[in-house]
Amino acid sequence: MIAPDWFREDRLPHIYCTGCGNGTVINCTLAAVEEMGWKRDETVFVSGIGCSSRAPGYILADSLHTTHGRALAFATGVKMARPEFNVVVFTGDGDLAAIGGNHFIHACRRNVDMTVVCMNNHIYGMTGGQGSPTTPPGAISSTTPYGASEPAFDLAELAIAAGANHVARWTSYHVKELTKAVAVGMQTPGLSFIEVRTQCPTNYGRHNKLRTVSAMVEYIRSHAMLVEKYNRLTAEGKPIPEGTFTVGELVRRNRPAMGVRR
Amino acid sequence: MQGNTACAEGALAAGCRFFGGYPITPSTEVAEAMARRLPKAGGVFISMEDELASMAAVIGAAWTGVRSMTATSGPGFSLMMENIGYAAMTETPCVVVNVQRGGPSTGQPTRAAQGDMLQCRFGSHGDYSTIALTPNSVQEMFDLTVKAFDLADRFRVPTFLMADEIVGHMRERVTIRDPAAIVPPRPLAEGSLPFEAGEDGVPGFAPFGSGRSVHVTGLTHNERGYPDTTDPEAHDKLVRRLITKIESARREIADYEVKNPDAETVFVTYGPPSRTVEQVIQDRSDDSIGHLRLRLVWPFPEFALEEFPNAKVFLMPELNMGQMVREVQRHVDQPVVSLPKIGGELHTPAELVRALEAHR
Ligand SMILES: Cc1ncc(C[n+]2csc(CCOP(=O)(O)OP(=O)(O)O)c2C)c(N)n1
Ligand code: SF4
């Protein structure tokens, strides 16, 4: 599963908390890169700001750790200037959906040929656990001490509506499925968006009655429902349990894309 | 040809092959010309969703080793500031054209101003240095754009073409020169770390794809490029170098014209107000009025003021409430008179003659 050739071992120790889901997502992404057989000098990792956005710093390749929310705009410049590069973006829910929301919809609309992996921990992790646009209603965070009162964004649905060619959602529990989804994304021309629901034990779990890492992973796993099952239940008019979200490949299509290798 | 078109032609001649921008008066024609010309030149034009994205895309493209540029005006320039600071911190060579208009805020979209002169030096947070050129003609929109790319590459720094509505929209005859051979940034030497600077303070450049696995971050970083955010010495060393590499080369970078160096009354100008001063000087039969015209204002070439050993007073007409005048005042003992003008029009020769008589 692990792709040691792609790690910057001289960067260790990393900054992630014990039990953080980000490491798993990095591992799965690198396993997919390995599967693709990409060359190091043709692969660029880009990110914004946040715990999740630190990922490129631990990867041995050209990597651009940019400003908060702007990763997709930077990545668009890289990919459009040099379409022969493979471009992978790591981003967080705050980075992507809050400050970077506009860049997100436009990158999907342009369908720029790159792979975007979003570690959605439902919180601003790096700044200490404030509510983000994906914080579930009712959840406790340092800026929603009485429970989040705003509706949450469904990032995958947003990407589909905005025009991305490939959209999938998994969790940090589903390592095999996630790895496969990232690899499919890398093979699909156009923008591939992979949302990963992941645990932030430090800033989310602790405040929301999910005190251990395993409790939080189990919570995420048990609320994930395969999109096929979800569609079947809905068609049959059967009830969907509260808090359920779909996982699986949500879209794969072949709309016109930009920056596809010449 | 129009000034903005000349700017685009200059960029093309300089080998610019990436433009990311967002339309704003009075800079729009730069983007329009690039949209027409770049695809045919094998380059990429992209209309981004806003100026934050434009500046981001330009930096991303620049790191692939492609000469890259954006063009904007006041409000868009303000939006670019965070990423301009990022470009300074990461030593990304790129060119930002600001065809200035009247501000603050959306102000006067179609009127000329020079109100962003301090913003281009200090606009982003933290300490850093940049290079800013100030054309006063359509020919200089071409020439100084070419020069901006060379300086950006030589010093690995975001470089500004601080134009304005007058030079942007004016039409004049232009000679399209074949620029001298394009000199890319010095490549990163074998065995050197990606942010390890040589004697001149400028590190070699290893763009993406050159096999060096460079990590680029806006965080305070060491010479390897890795974050090192809590060590006071690491921060001091990096930021001091970013400033010193520009400031210590001010004589090499400087670009100015001197007229009547023996004069006692000396105008100091940059951009279009210089043209009114030229008129005033031409209208006189003697050499009693000196003129220092800056084609480049940052880093500020204070030694140029010494070219006027007999100067008793410096007069500074600017299309703002007095921005660069502070820089002149800082460096001379003589009185320095600010002649501010806002609202979108140039000083008339008569206005300058009146000021001349009042302060002689
Ligand atoms: C312009 C700007 N605003 C705010 C911040 C502060 N900031 C840093 S990380 C962050 C939130 C990160 O949250 P997310 O993207 O969800 O990533 P996570 O840390 O949870 O992985 C914020 C608000 C910043 N760096 N820049
Ligand atoms: S704060 Fe949360 S997201 Fe950040 S490293 Fe810790 S567990 Fe991971």
Side-chain angles (χ1 to χ4, degrees):
Chain A
M1 219 55 220
I2 300 172
D5 289 357
W6 289 84
F7 279 111
R8 285 184 193 273
E9 283 178 28
D10 57 348
R11 276 296 317 279
L12 296 175
H14 57 69
I15 61 157
Y16 294 139
C17 309
T18 309
C20 174
N22 291 348
T24 308
V25 183
I26 297 173
N27 276 347
C28 293
T29 307
L30 290 182
V33 167
E34 196 100 298
E35 209 179 302
M36 297 293 293
W38 283 353
K39 290 203 202 83
R40 199 189 306 288
D41 57 4
E42 289 176 359
T43 304
V44 181
F45 293 88
V46 185
S47 67
I49 295 291
C51 297
S52 37
S53 288
R54 286 299 186 100
Y58 301 118
I59 298 174
L60 190 57
D62 290 320
S63 42
L64 197 56
H65 176 233
T66 69
T67 47
H68 192 34
R70 318 296 167 198
L72 288 171
F74 277 87
T76 300
V78 172
K79 185 65 186 181
M80 295 308 295
R82 294 287 293 272
E84 63 270 32
F85 287 168
N86 310 302
V87 177
V88 181
V89 178
F90 287 103
T91 180
D93 47 299
D95 195 58
L96 183 82
I99 193 164
N102 199 31
H103 308 307
F104 180 35
I105 57 180
H106 286 283
C108 291
R109 171 183 66 81
R110 292 190 182 103
N111 214 2
V112 187
D113 185 28
M114 54 194 182
T115 306
V116 182
V117 179
C118 176
M119 295 136 166
N120 180 1
N121 58 8
H122 308 282
I123 207 89
Y124 296 139
M126 183 158 265
T127 38
Q130 299 79 20
S132 89
T134 62
T135 303
I140 305 295
S141 77
S142 63
T143 51
T144 59
Y146 311 112
S149 57
E150 297 176 9
F153 253 142
D154 183 326
L155 301 181
E157 291 296 335
L158 192 57
I160 294 168
N165 255 355
H166 172 252
V167 178
R169 175 160 48 212
W170 289 102
T171 79
S172 47
Y173 172 85
H174 296 95
V175 287
K176 286 215 175 78
E177 295 87 341
L178 174 58
T179 304
K180 184 150 177 281
V182 176
V184 168
M186 288 169 170
Q187 286 154 22
T188 312
L191 193 137
S192 169
F193 177 68
I194 293 116
E195 178 188 349
V196 193
R197 300 275 173 115
T198 179
Q199 73 277 13
C200 169
T202 309
N203 283 318
Y204 188 85
R206 263 190 321 138
H207 305 294
N208 288 285
K209 301 204 184 86
L210 299 163
R211 285 187 201 289
T212 62
V213 175
S214 54
M216 196 170 170
V217 173
E218 175 55 25
Y219 180 89
I220 297 173
R221 186 201 66 79
S222 61
H223 286 77
M225 184 183 282
L226 262 181
V227 60
E228 289 82 3
K229 180 175 175 189
Y230 180 93
N231 291 342
R232 196 181 66 236
L233 290 180
T234 322
E236 291 168 2
K238 300 237 172 80
I240 308 281
E242 177 82 12
T244 300
F245 59 93
T246 53
V247 293
E249 184 171 283
L250 305 179
V251 132
R252 196 186 328 175
R253 56 196 172 191
N254 196 14
R255 292 189 172 181
M258 284 173 59
V260 179
R261 204 182 298 247
R262 287 186 267 239
Chain B
M1 172 185 295
Q2 197 193 49
N4 282 340
T5 320
C7 172
E9 289 299 326
L12 285 156
C16 172
R17 291 298 176 265
F18 184 91
F19 184 98
Y22 190 84
I24 180 167
T25 306
S27 75
T28 311
E29 296 85 2
V30 182
E32 288 171 347
M34 292 304 261
R36 275 193 307 274
R37 302 274 276 116
L38 265 179
K40 289 182 182 159
V44 174
F45 169 88
I46 184 162
S47 182
M48 294 302 289
E49 52 272 23
D50 57 29
E51 287 83 353
L52 293 89
S54 305
M55 193 62 217
V58 162
I59 297 169
W63 268 99
T64 72
V66 172
R67 280 191 160 182
S68 303
M69 152 173 133
T70 185
T72 188
S73 182
F77 197 56
S78 299
L79 286 181
M80 287 177 184
M81 276 302 150
E82 187 196 15
N83 282 337
I84 285 171
Y86 180 89
M89 189 59 145
T90 55
E91 303 181 68
T92 307
C94 55
V95 172
V96 179
V97 178
N98 180 354
V99 187
Q100 296 167 86
R101 61 193 238 170
S105 191
T106 32
Q108 292 180 302
T110 60
R111 294 335 265 318
Q114 297 179 310
D116 309 343
M117 303 311 297
L118 296 181
Q119 194 188 6
C120 84
R121 174 64 185 81
F122 297 106
S124 196
H125 51 285
D127 295 299
Y128 62 102
S129 263
T130 54
I131 300 176
L133 298 145
T134 44
N136 86 339
S137 65
V138 177
Q139 182 67 51
E140 284 193 355
M141 285 293 274
F142 180 90
D143 294 338
L144 296 189
T145 303
V146 175
K147 186 166 173 156
F149 278 98
D150 291 341
L151 289 168
D153 273 357
R154 159 79 180 83
F155 291 97
R156 284 191 60 181
V157 71
T159 300
F160 304 108
L161 189 78
M162 295 300 284
D164 56 80
E165 192 274 338
I166 295 171
V167 289
H169 284 163
M170 184 160 59
R171 285 173 193 276
E172 288 179 322
R173 188 178 295 274
V174 181
T175 311
I176 304 280
R177 304 189 179 105
D178 267 342
I182 293 161
V183 186
R186 187 177 342 116
L188 181 63
E190 208 53 55
S192 288
L193 297 173
F195 292 90
E196 187 180 334
E199 258 181 18
D200 62 356
V202 185
F205 190 46
F208 292 168
S210 52
R212 302 293 285 269
S213 294
V214 178
H215 182 55
V216 182
T217 177
L219 292 170
T220 296
H221 44 272
N222 59 23
E223 294 181 333
R224 181 74 191 84
Y226 295 168
D228 187 354
T229 56
T230 49
D231 177 6
E233 262 174 55
H235 186 77
D236 183 292
K237 187 174 172 203
L238 172 60
V239 174
R240 210 173 277 277
R241 178 174 67 72
L242 295 181
I243 294 169
T244 310
K245 73 173 177 179
I246 306 296
E247 300 299 324
S248 67
R250 50 209 306 126
R251 279 180 194 273
E252 178 191 339
I253 299 171
D255 188 349
Y256 57 84
E257 268 177 9
V258 171
K259 191 164 271 172
N260 298 338
D262 298 326
E264 294 185 352
T265 311
V266 179
F267 280 102
V268 182
T269 66
Y270 57 92
S274 61
R275 297 174 68 125
T276 315
V277 170
E278 288 304 313
Q279 187 63 50
V280 169
I281 292 176
Q282 226 179 67
D283 290 347
R284 306 181 84 84
S285 49
D286 55 27
D287 293 344
S288 65
I289 304 195
H291 187 191
L292 172 64
R293 174 165 90 86
L294 304 174
R295 265 190 299 249
L296 183 149
V297 292
W298 303 116
F300 190 78
E302 75 284 353
F303 41 82
L305 297 161
E306 291 161 16
E307 308 259 3
F308 300 89
N310 306 325
K312 292 214 169 91
V313 61
F314 291 98
L315 301 175
M316 230 181 140
E318 297 180 82
L319 300 181
N320 55 45
M321 288 302 287
Q323 294 198 1
M324 294 305 299
V325 70
R326 295 156 189 264
E327 203 58 33
V328 177
Q329 280 162 342
R330 234 152 68 79
H331 290 111
V332 298
D333 298 326
Q334 298 94 322
V336 182
V337 180
S338 176
L339 303 173
K341 182 151 183 176
I342 56 173
E345 277 165 8
L346 272 181
H347 304 72
T348 61
E351 280 172 340
L352 292 191
V353 169
R354 236 179 306 171
L356 198 65
E357 266 143 28
H359 294 287
R360 230 190 322 196

